[in-house]
Amino acid sequence: METFFLFVGVITLTLWLVRRSTRARDDVARLTFERSQLERRVTLLEQDVAVLKAGPSHPTEAEQPSPADPLAAVPNAMHQLLRMKAEAAKAVAPAPGPVETVFLRPVAELALETVPIETVVPERARSVPPIQRPAIKPAFNWEQFVGVKLFAWLGGLALFFAAALGLKYSFDHDLVPPEVRAAGGFLLGAGLLIGGVSLKRKQYAVTSQTLCATGVVILYAVTFACRAFYHFNFFGPVPTFLLMALITATAFVLAVRLDGQVIAVLGMLGGFVTPVLLSTGEDNPLGLFGYVALLDLGLLAVTQRKRWDHLALLAAVGTVAMQVGWFAKFFEPEKIFIAQGVFLGFPLLFLGVFVWAKKRDWMNDHIAAASAILALVALALSFNFALGGTLGLLPGRTFTIAFGADLALLAMVALRPRLRFLESIGGSALFLLLSCWTLGRLTGGLLYWGLGLYLAFAVLHTVFPLALKKLRPDETPAAGLWTQFIPAAALLLAMLPIVRELTVPWLFWAVVLAVDLLAVVMALVAGALLGLLAVLVFTVAATAVWLSRSTAQAVDLSESVVVIGGFALFFFAASAFVWKKLLPSSSARGIGLWTPGSGATPALPFDVRPLIPSLSAVLPFLLLIMVVARFKPADPSAVFGLAALLLTLLLGLAKVTRIDSLVAVGLGSVWLLQAAWLQTSLDPHRAVVPLVWFIGFYAVLSAF
C-alpha cells in the first residue's frame, strides 16, 4: 500500500512539474520577445547619438534656423539631424507633401524612423568608426534554472528513486513474481524513453530530456537486478553486457541528439548509484567494474562528441567512489590480484583517453585532471597495501600498483610537459612509500627486493627527465631542483637497511655503484653538479654507517679496504671525466637546472666546481681513518697502500684540473691518516714497515 501511494505521489509531482515548466517556458518566451524589441530600439537610438557626436558642434550662418522655422526651439544638434532626415525624405518622396506633416511629427517617432544612415550622415562624418562595445557575457538565469530545469530534474530523479525503491521493496516482501517485476521495470523505462522522445523538443526540451534520463536510469537498475538478484538464465555475462551496452549507447545517443546534458548527467548518476541501491552484499568485482568501465566509456564518448568536458571529470570521480567503496567493504589480502586489475586498469583506461585526446586536439584540463585523479588514488591506496597486514611482506605484488600509477603519471607528463608537477608528486609519494616500508616492514629476507625497488626508483626518475628534455627540448619546462637529487634520495633509501642493522650483501655495493653512475650521467647531461656532490657525500655516509654499525663485526680489514678503494677510484675517474667534459665550459656557479629558451643555468653564491675533485680526494681518506680506528691494524700496509694510490691519483687530478689546493688537501689527508694510526695502532717493536711507508709518502710529495 505504501508503495502505491508513493507511486501516485510521484506521478502527481511529475505532472505538476510539467505544468509549471510549461508556464515558465511561455513566460520566458514572452520576456525574450519584449527584450528583443527593446534592444532594437536602443540600437537605433545609439546610432543617432553617434551621428550627433560626429556632426559640427556649432552650425554655420547658413544652417541657423529662421524664426519661422517650426524647429527653432529644438537644440541645434537635434535640429540638424531632423532637417537632414526631412530633406532625405523629400528627395525620395514621389510628390511633395505638406511640410507640416513632416516637421511637426513627434521627435521620438522621427528618432525611430528607418531611414538609412548613409542618406543623412554628412560626408565628413561618414569616416567616423562605429562604436565598439565589449562583449558582455549573459548572466546566469537563476529564475529559469530554478523554475524550469531544477524542478524538472528533481522530478526525474524522484521518479527514479521511487522506481528503484519500489523495486527494492518488492524484492524484500515478494509482492509480485520476479518475472513481472522485471517486465514492469523494463516497460516503465522504455515508456519514459518513448514519451520523452515523442515530446516536441523545442516546446518541452527540459521535460523531454528529464524523462529520457529517468528512463535510462530505470533500465540500468532493472538490468542489474536481473543479473545480480534473480540470476535469470537469459542474463548471463555476455547477454547482460550487451544489454547494458545497448542501454548506455541509447542514453548517450539521446544526449547527443537532444543536446541534453541532463540525460548524460542523470544517466551517469543513476549508473553509479544503481550497484549501491541494489547491492546484495556479495562481492562480484568482475561484474561491478566491467559495468563501471562500460559506463565510463559511454560518458567519455559523449564528452568527446559534445565537448562537455566536465563529464570526464565526473566520470573519474564516480569511478574513484566505486573503487574506494569496494576496497572498504570487500578487499582482503587474498584479492590483491583483483586489486591490481581494479586500481591499474582504470588509470590505463583514462590514460588511453588522454592519449586519444592529445591526438584529436581535444586536450583540456578536465581530461588531464580525470586521468591524474585515478593514478593518484591508486598511489595513495598503495600505502595501505604496503604498510598494512601481510601484504607488506609481498613487495612484488603490492609495489606493482605503486610503480604502475607512477608510470601513468610520467606518461601524462611525457604527452603534456606542462603537467611536470605530476612528476614531482609521483616521485615524492613513491619515495615516501619506500621509506615507510623499509623502516616498518623490511626484513633480511626481503633485502634483495628492497635493493631492486630502490634501484628501479632511481633509474625511473633519473632517466625520465633526461629523456623528456632530449625528446621535447622546446616544450619541456625547467626541471625542479629536487630532480637532480633523485640518485641521492635512492642512496638515502639504501642506507636505511644499514640503520636498521640488517646485514647487507655484496649486491648492496653494486646497487650503490649503479646509483652513483646515474648521478654522473645526470651531471654530464644536465650539469647537475649539486646532485653529484650529494651522491658523493651520501656514498661516503653509507660506507661510514656500514663501518660503524654492529652488523659490521663480521667484516674484516681487507673487505673494508676493497669497498673504500673501489668507490674512491670510481669518484676519482668520474671527477676527471666530468671536469674534462663539462666543468670548463659551464657557468662558474651553475647548478644544472634547465632554463627554457637558453643554455644558461641558475647560479649559486659560490663556485661549486672545485668541490667535486676536492671531496673525491678527502672523503676516502676519512673512511680510511675510520678503518684504522675500527680495526687498529698493527701492519698498516693495506691501508697505507690504498692511501698511496689515492695520493698519486689526487696529485694527477691536481695537474689535470690545475687546482693547486688539491696538493695541500693530499698532504693534509695523508698526515691525518698517519697521525690516526700512530695514536691507535703503533707497536714500537714493529716500526720498520710503517717507517718505510712514511718515507714513501714523503718521496711522492717531494717528487711532485
Side-chain angles (χ1 to χ4, degrees), residues 282-459:
E282 298 179 359
D283 186 20
N284 184 15
L286 181 60
L288 174 63
F289 290 107
Y291 161 82
V292 173
L294 179 64
L295 190 61
D296 286 341
L297 288 174
L299 280 169
L300 293 170
V302 173
T303 302
Q304 193 276 335
R305 177 66 182 272
K306 300 298 291 183
R307 291 300 192 267
W308 297 333
D309 298 326
H310 59 278
L311 290 182
L313 185 58
L314 292 177
V317 173
T319 303
V320 168
M322 301 302 292
Q323 289 177 325
V324 174
W326 175 83
F327 175 79
K329 188 173 183 179
F330 296 110
F331 178 74
E332 297 175 354
E334 295 78 12
K335 299 179 181 179
I336 183 59
F337 293 110
I338 297 176
Q340 290 177 356
V342 170
F343 293 106
L344 289 180
F346 284 99
L348 290 177
L349 173 64
F350 277 78
L351 180 60
V353 175
F354 189 88
V355 175
W356 185 47
K358 177 70 175 179
K359 293 182 178 180
R360 298 292 297 270
D361 196 19
W362 173 40
M363 183 58 60
N364 55 73
D365 293 338
H366 291 90
I367 301 297
S371 303
I373 283 175
L374 287 161
L376 292 175
V377 169
L379 197 56
L381 289 176
S382 299
F383 282 83
N384 187 283
F385 297 141
L387 305 179
T390 60
L391 288 177
L393 303 177
L394 301 172
R397 300 180 184 181
T398 55
F399 281 96
T400 300
I401 299 176
F403 276 89
D406 188 39
L407 284 171
L409 293 176
L410 294 181
M412 292 179 60
V413 177
L415 292 171
R416 200 181 192 192
R418 64 185 291 254
L419 299 175
R420 191 157 196 176
F421 64 93
L422 294 177
E423 176 191 356
S424 304
I425 295 176
S428 301
L430 193 57
F431 173 77
L432 181 61
L433 177 61
L434 288 170
S435 301
C436 296
W437 176 77
T438 302
L439 293 175
R441 309 292 293 174
L442 183 64
T443 62
L446 298 176
L447 186 57
Y448 288 103
W449 272 107
L451 295 176
L453 293 174
Y454 307 151
L455 184 59
F457 165 75
V459 171

Side-chain angles (χ1 to χ4, degrees), residues 539-541 543-544 547 564 618-628:
T539 302
V540 174
T543 309
L547 290 172
I564 297 172
V618 171
L619 295 179
F621 280 101
L622 295 180
L623 293 178
L624 289 178
I625 293 174
M626 289 185 60
V627 170
V628 169

